[in-house]
Amino acid sequence: MPTDKLLLDSMRDYIAQIREEGMDGLPMSDRPIAPMRVEARRTAIVDAPAPPAASPAPPKPAASVELFSKYPGLEKIGELAELQKFIGNCTRCKLHGGRTNLVFGVGDPKAELMFIGEGPGADEDAQGEPFVGRAGQLLTDIIERGMGMRRGEVYICNVVKCRPPGNRNPEPDEVEACEPFLFRQIEIVKPRVIVGLGTFAVQSVLKIKTPISKLRGIWHEVRGIKMMPTFHPAYLLRNPGDKRLVWSDIQDVMRTLGRPIPGRART
């Protein structure tokens, strides 16, 4: 059934993700696992009345106001340097206790292309800049050799600004504390296109749980901006055969931006 296939796809993506993070096992809990009531859920889905036809949704300017209201004054900030100063020596979530450097973001403040990852790793935490480790070097190759752009022409940032311990996924309260800053970065830079890198970043930004294997290669929208999900560079280091899929996604991005595909890389 479709639900079973979606569950299997989700498990495959989760296993690939923990491999990216250097884990060789799954976390266990001492708490008993409650049995799933599959049949009841299926019945509820089948018997539920069809929703009425939706009319076109009006713009929701209040969404930004509601999100930014968590930190009064955030909605008035119009420059990245001002935003970085506003964040300051952040202690708004528990991640601050283990960080070396807060990793704000880097690149052209008026870039037409933005890359969003999950969070800083060890190299990024040490240097205070996103995507500077092995995965970052691969991202730089994609930008410079694949796209024919300079790294400084794009803007690169993460869902959270501090490194999670052991490179684990950020927890919901950590994302909640940091996401107003990410969305303010998006609204300040105003890129034409966003590339979401990896399962966690894409699911966090789009607020969905669909596996990255089902999301990549398909255009989505974030606050009126086109977003292309694709695999994280760290995943490609362990699965180089999937570079062709990422290259296909990147070519779509370049076409949307109206940029030529470098001659030797054109497929």
Side-chain angles (χ1 to χ4, degrees):
M1 292 186 66
T3 53
D4 297 329
K5 187 173 188 303
L6 182 60
L7 177 61
L8 287 173
D9 288 338
S10 299
M11 287 300 298
R12 290 191 189 100
D13 278 353
Y14 178 61
I15 291 169
Q17 184 178 354
I18 64 173
R19 283 177 176 171
E20 291 177 14
E21 297 163 357
M23 297 174 64
D24 57 5
L26 296 174
M28 299 295 291
S29 172
D30 293 332
R31 292 178 295 178
I33 300 174
M36 294 178 62
R37 301 184 62 182
V38 177
E39 292 304 323
R41 181 169 175 79
R42 286 177 180 168
T43 301
I45 293 172
V46 172
D47 294 342
S55 55
K60 296 182 179 179
S64 293
V65 175
E66 182 179 353
L67 180 65
F68 299 152
S69 65
K70 186 177 182 70
Y71 305 122
L74 181 59
E75 75 284 354
K76 299 177 182 178
I77 293 176
E79 300 291 336
L80 290 175
E82 189 181 358
L83 176 60
Q84 189 168 11
K85 183 177 179 180
F86 182 94
I87 295 173
N89 185 28
C90 186
T91 59
R92 296 173 179 88
C93 82
K94 58 184 177 293
L95 288 181
H96 80 275
R99 74 165 183 247
T100 302
N101 288 295
L102 184 145
V103 183
F104 177 73
V106 68
D108 186 345
K110 300 300 179 185
E112 63 177 4
L113 176 60
M114 175 182 279
F115 290 88
I116 299 177
E118 171 184 333
D123 294 309
E124 291 75 18
D125 178 60
Q127 298 185 40
E129 182 175 329
F131 284 91
V132 293
R134 289 183 63 219
Q137 293 168 12
L138 180 53
L139 177 60
T140 300
D141 282 347
I142 291 171
I143 295 167
E144 297 187 344
R145 298 175 60 187
M147 305 183 76
M149 302 174 68
R150 291 180 293 104
R151 178 177 163 114
E153 287 183 73
V154 307
Y155 193 81
I156 306 172
C157 57
N158 287 306
V159 172
V160 297
K161 311 295 186 220
C162 299
R163 182 193 180 195
N167 286 349
R168 64 161 170 78
N169 284 340
E171 295 176 352
D173 61 310
E174 296 160 357
V175 174
E176 182 181 355
C178 215
E179 69 177 355
F181 303 132
L182 171 65
F183 282 102
R184 196 69 192 124
Q185 283 175 301
I186 292 172
E187 293 195 358
I188 292 173
V189 176
K190 297 183 179 68
R192 290 177 57 199
V193 172
I194 295 170
V195 175
L197 298 170
T199 301
F200 188 88
V202 173
Q203 291 181 346
S204 295
V205 173
L206 295 180
K207 304 299 181 186
I208 55 178
K209 292 297 183 183
T210 308
I212 188 67
S213 59
K214 301 297 183 185
L215 293 171
R216 61 141 299 273
I218 302 172
W219 286 105
H220 300 261
E221 190 171 288
V222 178
R223 303 197 172 205
I225 300 170
K226 298 187 76 171
M227 178 177 183
M228 174 61 76
T230 195
F231 292 119
H232 195 285
Y235 169 82
L236 297 180
L237 292 174
R238 294 169 174 79
N239 300 271
D242 283 342
K243 286 182 179 180
R244 59 185 178 80
L245 299 176
V246 173
W247 177 232
S248 175
D249 299 340
I250 292 299
Q251 288 183 86
D252 279 348
V253 168
M254 295 173 70
R255 293 187 190 100
T256 298
L257 292 174
R259 285 181 169 266
I261 299 171
R264 68 174 186 171
R266 190 179 290 119
T267 59

